[in-house]
Amino acid sequence: MLRKQVTRRQLAAFCAALGLALALPGPLRAEDAARVKIDNFAFTPQDLTVKVGTTVTFENDDDIPHLVVATDNSFRSKALDTGDTYAFTFTKPGEFPYFCGLHPHMQGKVTVTQ
Amino acid sequence: MTSHDDSDDNGITRRHALECMIWAGTGVLWTISAGVPVSLNMLGEARAAQVPSKGFTFLQISDSHIGFDKAANPHAIDTLKEAMAKIHALPVKPSFMIHTGDITHLSRADQFDAADQLIGRAGFDVHYVPGEHDVIDEGNGRAYLDRYGKNTKGEGWFSFDQEGVHFVGLVNVVNLKAGGLGNLGAEQLAWLADDLKAVRNSTPVVVFAHIPLWAIYPEWGWGTDDAAQALAMLKRFGSVTVLNGHIHQIMQKVEGNITFHTARSTAFPQPAPGTAPSPGPMTVPPGQLRSLLGITDVAVKRGKANLAIIDSTLAEK
Ligand SMILES: [Cu+2]
């Protein structure tokens, strides 16, 4: 919960500072990207909140492959071997629960806000 | 004969005796001959044809993970070679082999090829079921079915008979659901119900699949969501043996007529349930690896109610 609040506050500050600049197309900024690490058969952070247009990169740090699948099938990675990454850009607001296609007890969620 | 130890492969348990009595009341009379349940029909005609006439052995290997090269075992191909050498050196040549999945680590063509060089061309009839690592090609399992799907149904399930024993290979690694465990699915369960129709209660049944068909440790995904439906269909048989892989260690349980057993991997060990933050390859001190890898020899013998399951490690000569 704490993590989510901090992220929201940071985003609010960021939006206030940049105003309309955010809406303009341009090169990828660090703030438009987020990372989910896969480690010890778990997604970290398990709950991630991002703004519309954010590219989320999933990175597998385990010695076993994992596979990221949206519960609503809106995205699906290939099998990610150790060190492999999968990037997906969230273009619609909403909640996107996902799981590992190989180890379905592994679950996570990306919440996309306007 | 007085033993009530469920793991005694000679013993007829009290529960089993009770089942025999119940069946006697419904038209099938069971007689125990030298430990083997032999059914007699109401006319007294011996119906022992389903009992193996002499006996045979078959060999289980599992989780060869060809292509795995991480710290837990940088040379998974070498330990598979050692396992195959061990099989060739067995005093009794197995009638056939089963591989309970995770043949490869990443479903790559070169990994399937390498596994086939060692396992498929060793001179044994090999029956495969896929592990989740065998169905992660671009085609979500196409590569596996192209190689091993001949004479199978659906995603690769099948059955066959060998000297009076009915063998069933099941697939529980596809169409996995969010938050779930291994999955057999309605289509496969319907096929299984149909397949078992023609099998007599007195026929020993061996069922094998990759993920355990009993809940070993659901927190780590070590179980199968709809296994109970399959096990219910197996209740009427006098002797059922369920063989699995996936967890890379030996676990055994006897429940009524069903003996559950998981095999070691030939590639790398995994931690015992709950003893580590997560499952996955376990790196052990050098010199210990081979004592945690191995093969499983299963003997079907005349005069034994249950199959004899003998595990041996790569460290044993
Ligand atoms: Cu996974």
Side-chain angles (χ1 to χ4, degrees):
Chain A
M1 277 325 271
L2 186 64
R3 181 189 296 274
K4 205 182 273 179
Q5 283 162 4
V6 169
T7 307
R8 283 205 188 109
R9 208 180 305 143
Q10 284 172 335
L11 277 171
F14 178 79
C15 294
L18 287 189
L20 268 178
L22 244 191
L24 298 172
L28 185 75
R29 292 173 293 262
E31 290 80 1
D32 296 332
R35 256 185 138 65
V36 174
K37 279 190 172 266
I38 309 173
D39 200 11
N40 281 331
F41 283 65
F43 298 103
T44 311
Q46 198 172 18
D47 284 301
L48 175 71
T49 301
V50 297
K51 278 187 76 76
V52 163
T54 303
T55 298
V56 177
T57 301
F58 300 84
E59 180 184 317
N60 181 15
D61 290 340
D62 268 344
D63 273 358
I64 211 83
H66 297 290
L67 201 156
V68 185
V69 193
T71 307
D72 69 358
N73 276 315
S74 56
F75 57 90
R76 181 187 179 92
S77 75
K78 293 181 190 173
L80 305 177
D81 197 7
T82 310
D84 285 354
T85 59
Y86 167 69
F88 181 78
T89 303
F90 289 86
T91 56
K92 284 180 206 148
E95 294 202 334
F96 298 91
Y98 62 89
F99 64 105
C100 173
L102 287 175
H103 316 101
H105 64 286
M106 297 169 56
Q107 294 176 280
K109 187 172 78 178
V110 176
T111 302
V112 184
T113 58
Q114 280 291 358
Chain B
M1 273 329 240
T2 54
S3 168
H4 194 223
D5 178 358
D6 275 337
S7 65
D8 182 350
D9 70 352
N10 279 312
I12 299 299
T13 64
R14 201 173 300 165
R15 178 165 170 180
H16 193 139
L18 189 66
E19 283 171 0
C20 295
M21 283 158 58
I22 292 164
W23 282 345
T26 58
V28 181
L29 181 65
W30 280 60
T31 173
I32 306 300
S33 166
V36 178
V38 179
S39 69
L40 303 171
N41 73 3
M42 296 313 275
L43 298 172
E45 182 192 357
R47 291 273 185 184
Q50 300 299 325
V51 176
S53 55
K54 45 184 163 59
F56 63 95
T57 67
F58 65 94
L59 203 289
Q60 178 190 9
I61 60 168
S62 199
D63 297 271
S64 41
H65 283 265
I66 292 307
F68 183 81
D69 59 2
K70 304 298 187 295
N73 181 2
H75 307 288
I77 189 95
D78 289 350
T79 44
L80 175 60
K81 272 181 201 158
E82 289 171 36
M84 293 308 299
K86 224 176 139 60
I87 294 165
H88 281 295
L90 286 171
V92 177
K93 188 180 189 277
S95 291
F96 60 88
M97 284 174 60
I98 62 171
H99 192 305
T100 43
D102 285 355
I103 305 159
T104 70
H105 194 57
L106 295 167
S107 305
R108 278 174 22 193
D110 59 324
Q111 296 172 350
F112 279 120
D113 286 345
D116 199 49
Q117 285 286 342
L118 290 175
I119 305 164
R121 300 189 191 170
F124 297 101
D125 210 0
V126 189
H127 303 277
Y128 297 87
V129 288
E132 73 279 9
H133 289 255
D134 299 318
V135 294
I136 51 176
D137 58 309
E138 301 262 329
N140 292 324
R142 199 67 254 163
Y144 173 85
L145 283 178
D146 284 349
R147 285 168 191 261
Y148 304 110
K150 215 182 279 175
N151 304 320
T152 71
K153 304 279 197 306
E155 312 287 347
W157 54 81
F158 58 91
S159 70
F160 63 94
D161 293 282
Q162 175 90 22
E163 294 180 53
V165 179
H166 190 64
F167 288 83
V168 182
L170 298 178
V171 179
N172 57 359
V173 297
V174 297
N175 299 320
L176 304 183
K177 308 285 183 291
L181 306 171
N183 177 53
L184 293 163
E187 188 191 348
Q188 184 169 209
L189 287 167
W191 169 85
L192 179 63
D194 191 56
D195 176 77
L196 293 173
K197 261 184 204 156
V199 185
R200 292 163 187 269
N201 292 352
S202 55
T203 301
V205 177
V206 177
V207 177
F208 55 102
H210 179 64
I211 299 176
L213 291 171
W214 43 304
I216 291 181
Y217 200 60
E219 293 88 338
W220 283 3
W222 291 359
T224 300
D225 279 326
D226 48 3
Q229 293 174 63
L231 298 176
M233 297 176 202
L234 296 163
K235 278 223 165 70
R236 68 178 172 89
F237 297 98
S239 161
V240 178
T241 307
V242 176
L243 302 174
N244 301 117
H246 188 59
I247 68 168
H248 299 211
Q249 61 197 291
I250 294 168
M251 293 265 168
Q252 185 162 301
K253 183 177 86 155
V254 179
E255 199 173 278
N257 58 329
I258 306 182
T259 298
F260 298 89
H261 188 92
T262 62
R264 291 188 179 100
S265 161
T266 68
F268 56 84
Q270 292 199 73
T275 62
S278 74
M282 180 170 71
T283 304
V284 296
Q288 276 185 28
L289 176 63
R290 281 162 175 76
S291 67
L292 296 167
L293 307 178
I295 59 171
T296 301
D297 201 12
V298 186
V300 182
K301 283 185 189 138
R302 187 191 178 123
K304 304 268 187 182
N306 296 333
L307 282 60
I309 302 172
I310 304 137
D311 300 289
S312 56
T313 71
L314 297 187
E316 295 165 40
K317 291 299 163 208

